[in-house]
Amino acid sequence: MATVAQLSAALENGTTTSRALVEEALGRIAEPRGEGSRAFVKVYAESARVHAERSDRLRMRGVRRSPIDGLPVSLKDLFDVAGDVTRAGSKILAGAPPAQRDAAAVARLRAAGAVFVGRTNMVEFAFGGVGLNPHYGTPKSPYERGTGHVPGGSSSGAAVSVADGMCVMALGSDTRGSVRVPAAACGVVGFKPTARRVPREGAFPLSFTLDSVGPLARSVACCAAYDAVLAGEPLEPLPALEARGLRLLAPACSPLAELDDAVAKAFGDALRRLAAAGALVREAPVPAFDRQAEYFKGGGYAGAEAYHIHQPHLARLAEYDPRVGKRVILGKDFSAADYLALGDLRAAYLREVAAAAAPHDAIVMPTMPCTPPSIAEASASDDDYFRWNFRMLRNCGLVNFLDGCAVSLPCHPRGAAPVGLMVCGVAGTDRHILAVAAAIERELERG
């Protein structure tokens, strides 16, 4: 599908309708040879048609609720929708009572006129970055579909739904990379906001400390439009920045270490193009980034908090995806003293990274140090799975521990293995980081 701006203009000038856009999205979801049956766990076909027609009637009367009014949207399976069961990618919750009300983020989208086409598949309980789900299947990344590459997780179906034109925006969540990793693996744009920016009420939690709610879409401007709705902010255009004069810090330390050849080349080429356009690219170490093992030791915040969250379900641990269950149970031995010490460690990390970031407009690094492996390769054994899981989440987790914000945007040549470039900032700099990412996106698209 086209961008929010293009589709909104087409709706305004009458060259398309919301009903037509929804029918196109539903047609792609239902395509027998496509990924719709694995990308979605539930499709809202009839209600989507009803809401699309309502949007069209309102527009004919001169009512436009927002720039996203009438555009098809998918929702990750961990968000409550009134009257629906929130399964969070798990069989365990399949018999839970239906939600009484929409999640806060869903309610804001609904009020802005978004048309929900369905609930997207995900890693069970959002606890994994590879994208596998043994209960509902694993949608394939668009890259080399014949081989079958992982979509990234945990917002796996969300990224595939955007990449395959099944929606204009997919609502996801990000605890250690769950928006940005699938965005990078599927060649789309994903935005992880500062955690407190978008309310998380009504979203099944993984970590109270690290969870954030963000969009996946076709462009940075699309993500920015939905971010404004989700954050309850005025729907204003991003500040217009140019690549010339941007001050970018590339951390010459672990985030740039052990990169796949394709990642190293795509990321390096992107930095050279930005420098040629007048961006000031500085490579310097950020020692705090090299201590990630300390930040996630014993499962870190997610491990400790997930163990608490899953207390009501632990008697049914054998019914979990075994790889998710192993991660949940890891938090059992995380003590109160460990938890408090982690808070002290995080405070020191925030100070150190903030000082390094201060002279720059953004920190830039590859979203993932690798391209997405095949599903067979990533699921061959538990050792293989956890090795790929850590590798795929490695860079993104640094931003969650920072309580920062970040955009992943594609930087690979057309047709090549997908590579994401991540534009990162400290907490509260969301709109500026989106504007910087948009400037970078424009420059890369010029080539």
Side-chain angles (χ1 to χ4, degrees):
M1 283 195 173
T3 65
V4 168
Q6 291 166 336
L7 293 173
S8 184
L11 287 169
E12 287 301 299
N13 64 32
T15 55
T16 192
T17 64
S18 177
R19 177 64 187 263
L21 295 177
V22 165
E23 290 296 345
E24 180 183 353
L26 293 174
R28 291 182 177 179
I29 294 170
E31 169 57 48
R33 293 170 295 178
E35 292 298 305
S37 63
R38 287 176 288 273
F40 283 82
V41 294
K42 184 171 184 178
V43 179
Y44 299 137
E46 292 311 310
S47 65
R49 293 183 175 109
V50 169
H51 287 290
E53 289 174 355
R54 179 169 184 252
S55 176
D56 289 333
R57 289 195 301 271
L58 289 172
R59 187 174 288 104
M60 289 177 65
R61 297 170 186 168
V63 178
R64 179 176 181 258
R65 289 168 286 184
S66 78
I68 67 163
D69 194 350
L71 302 183
V73 162
S74 70
L75 305 170
K76 189 175 181 177
D77 191 37
L78 57 66
F79 292 101
D80 286 349
V81 175
D84 238 359
V85 174
T86 303
R87 289 175 287 185
S90 177
K91 294 285 190 181
I92 290 173
L93 298 182
Q100 295 299 303
R101 62 185 63 84
D102 289 343
V106 172
R108 287 182 175 182
L109 290 170
R110 194 188 295 278
V115 178
F116 305 136
V117 293
R119 303 177 72 88
T120 53
N121 199 358
M122 56 181 283
V123 176
E124 185 180 38
F125 295 122
F127 216 162
V130 177
L132 309 182
N133 187 307
H135 308 303
Y136 300 107
T138 298
K140 300 173 185 175
S141 162
Y143 175 58
E144 293 184 344
R145 278 262 162 86
T147 300
H149 290 260
V150 301
S154 63
S155 306
S156 52
V160 173
S161 70
V162 172
D164 284 13
M166 301 172 187
C167 62
V168 175
M169 186 280 286
L171 186 65
S173 66
D174 191 308
T175 305
R176 195 175 170 182
S178 287
V179 162
R180 292 158 292 152
V181 165
C186 293
V188 300
V189 179
F191 176 54
K192 175 245 177 292
T194 304
R196 61 182 175 271
R197 182 171 175 79
V198 180
R200 296 174 291 181
E201 291 80 10
F204 192 94
L206 172 57
S207 166
F208 304 120
T209 301
L210 303 179
D211 289 351
S212 55
V213 175
L216 298 91
R218 284 284 183 186
S219 71
V220 176
C222 293
C223 284
Y226 283 99
D227 166 73
V229 171
L230 293 166
E233 292 191 346
L235 304 178
E236 298 175 351
L238 290 172
L241 301 180
E242 295 295 329
R244 178 173 296 279
L246 288 180
R247 301 159 299 165
L248 306 175
L249 171 62
C253 50
S254 60
L256 302 187
E258 299 178 351
L259 303 180
D260 283 5
D261 290 345
V263 175
K265 185 176 189 313
F267 182 72
D269 287 349
L271 292 190
R272 284 187 285 274
R273 288 174 60 183
L274 292 168
L280 307 173
V281 181
R282 174 175 174 254
E283 292 193 19
V286 182
F289 285 166
D290 292 335
R291 300 192 293 272
Q292 184 166 178
E294 300 174 43
Y295 312 147
F296 297 99
K297 182 180 178 181
Y301 280 119
E305 292 169 356
Y307 184 73
H308 166 73
I309 290 162
H310 286 266
Q311 286 291 312
H313 311 297
L314 292 181
R316 301 177 64 184
L317 193 63
E319 299 174 50
Y320 281 54
D321 173 349
R323 289 159 181 161
V324 171
K326 284 183 178 180
R327 299 189 74 191
V328 169
I329 209 70
L330 189 65
K332 180 180 180 181
D333 298 321
F334 206 89
S335 70
D338 294 332
Y339 194 86
L340 293 172
L342 186 59
D344 292 338
L345 183 66
R346 190 186 196 200
Y349 173 81
L350 295 177
R351 290 192 296 270
E352 185 174 337
V353 177
H360 306 90
D361 287 295
I363 299 172
V364 292
M365 64 180 83
T367 308
M368 297 193 298
C370 55
T371 58
S374 70
I375 294 172
E377 186 179 6
S379 59
S381 69
D382 281 0
D383 286 345
D384 289 313
Y385 173 83
F386 286 113
R387 175 171 57 84
W388 280 111
N389 189 67
F390 171 77
R391 186 158 171 73
M392 293 174 71
L393 295 173
R394 187 192 74 182
N395 287 2
C396 286
L398 295 168
V399 180
N400 297 84
F401 199 66
L402 181 65
D403 187 26
C405 51
V407 177
S408 176
L409 57 96
C411 67
H412 56 279
R414 187 180 300 274
V419 177
L421 185 153
M422 187 161 57
V423 184
C424 317
V426 298
T429 60
D430 299 73
R431 295 300 280 184
H432 177 70
I433 288 299
L434 283 162
V436 172
I440 291 173
E441 180 183 59
R442 285 191 294 272
E443 189 57 44
L444 296 183
E445 287 177 346
R446 287 191 179 111

